[in-house]
């Protein structure tokens, strides 16, 4: 008797637009890299998870490192996008936006800690990271300056305070991730809100 068709049939590949296919590959790479690291990850693991052929992978990326660089750029763009979305929502009071943005950025970094650690040392990663940080600091500083003008924020040198606040909590997040300081993720997020209110002279609730 012949082998049943269902036993030998390969899964049909679904045609997708290039950007969607690229996203599938990067999503799979993120999972594999976070679990195994870039050096120990195999392209076959990524393509199997993404349900594409190795040939399809090479249509988008020449190497694992190139995929890692693209993934890092997307990761940092998403990170900056968190801040951009919150600070751009003018329906929310400015004080609440300032508190929410620091809390949300801390939470994003902590939630994606494994991927961040794996990708951070890649070629060009620090330049991309620095650019995203500067983008966020600029947005936070602009919002703080707006608050000073309107009287919602009480703060000397809002640009410098925004920079110190942002980098301070980048350090706290790193300490929490590495275990250098015995901090729970929620403690870091909560503290970022308290510190934001203190730095910018906001009401403790941060909701008005």
């Amino acid at each position: 008797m012949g082998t049943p068709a269902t036993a030998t049939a390969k899964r049909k590949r679904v045609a997708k637009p290039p950007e969607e296919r690229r996203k599938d590959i990067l999503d799979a790479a993120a999972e594999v890299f976070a679990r195994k690291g870039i050096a120990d990850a195999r392209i076959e693991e990524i393509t199997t998870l993404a349900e594409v052929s190795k040939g399809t992978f090479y249509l988008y990326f020449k190497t694992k490192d190139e995929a890692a660089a693209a993934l890092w750029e997307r990761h940092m763009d998403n990170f900056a996008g968190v801040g951009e979305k919150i600070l751009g929502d003018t329906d929310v009071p400015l004080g609440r936006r300032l508190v929410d943005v620091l809390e949300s950025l801390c939470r994003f970094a902590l939630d994606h800690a494994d991927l961040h650690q794996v990708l951070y040392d890649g070629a060009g990663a620090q330049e991309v990271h620095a650019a995203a940080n500067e983008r966020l600091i600029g947005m936070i500083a602009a919002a703080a300056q707006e608050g000073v003008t309107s009287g919602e924020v009480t703060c000397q040198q809002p640009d410098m305070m925004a920079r110190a606040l942002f980098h301070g909590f980048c350090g706290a997040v790193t300490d929490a991730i590495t275990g250098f300081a015995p901090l729970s993720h929620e403690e870091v997020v909560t503290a970022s809100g308290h510190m934001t209110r203190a730095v910018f002279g906001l009401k403790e609730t941060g909701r008005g």
Side-chain angles (χ1 to χ4, degrees):
M1 290 179 65
T3 304
T6 53
T8 57
K10 293 184 179 180
R11 180 178 294 179
K12 269 190 171 182
R13 298 199 187 281
V14 178
K16 292 185 178 181
E19 282 306 308
E20 190 174 341
R21 183 66 74 194
R22 185 177 187 273
K23 179 181 181 300
D24 289 345
I25 294 170
L26 287 178
D27 288 346
E31 185 174 331
V32 174
F33 290 157
R35 179 164 27 96
K36 302 191 71 173
I38 298 171
D40 292 333
R42 293 185 300 114
I43 289 175
E44 289 86 349
E45 293 174 290
I46 296 171
T47 56
T48 297
L49 192 58
E51 298 183 358
V52 299
S53 67
K54 283 186 70 175
T56 299
F57 177 92
Y58 287 118
L59 285 175
Y60 293 90
F61 307 105
K62 294 178 183 177
T63 63
K64 283 188 303 180
D65 286 340
E66 188 174 297
L71 185 58
W72 176 250
E73 189 170 349
R74 186 182 78 168
H75 173 69
M76 292 310 302
D77 192 56
N78 288 341
F79 179 59
V82 168
E84 191 168 43
K85 182 177 179 181
I86 292 170
L87 291 172
D89 187 359
T90 55
D91 289 335
V92 176
L94 188 142
R96 177 176 172 181
R97 279 181 274 153
L98 284 168
V99 172
D100 284 353
V101 74
L102 263 297
E103 290 181 342
S104 296
L105 290 172
C106 284
R107 189 172 284 110
F108 181 96
L110 291 164
D111 288 348
H112 298 84
D114 290 344
L115 186 63
H116 187 103
Q117 288 181 295
V118 166
L119 297 175
Y120 184 73
D121 290 328
Q126 293 187 28
E127 289 84 354
V128 173
H129 185 248
N133 284 353
E134 285 301 309
R135 179 178 161 193
L136 283 164
I137 291 168
M139 288 189 287
I140 294 168
Q145 183 60 64
E146 178 188 339
V148 169
T149 302
S150 68
E152 297 169 83
V153 167
T154 304
C155 172
Q156 298 293 322
Q157 297 181 302
D159 289 0
M160 182 58 69
M161 291 299 101
R163 183 171 296 277
L165 183 66
F166 182 88
H167 283 303
F169 276 95
C170 281
V173 165
T174 299
D175 287 349
I177 289 170
T178 60
F180 184 79
L183 300 168
S184 72
H185 290 190
E186 200 52 43
E187 283 177 318
V188 175
V189 172
T190 300
S192 71
H194 290 321
M195 184 64 76
T196 302
R197 295 180 191 106
V199 166
F200 294 131
L202 302 171
K203 292 179 181 179
E204 180 57 25
T205 61
R207 302 293 175 185

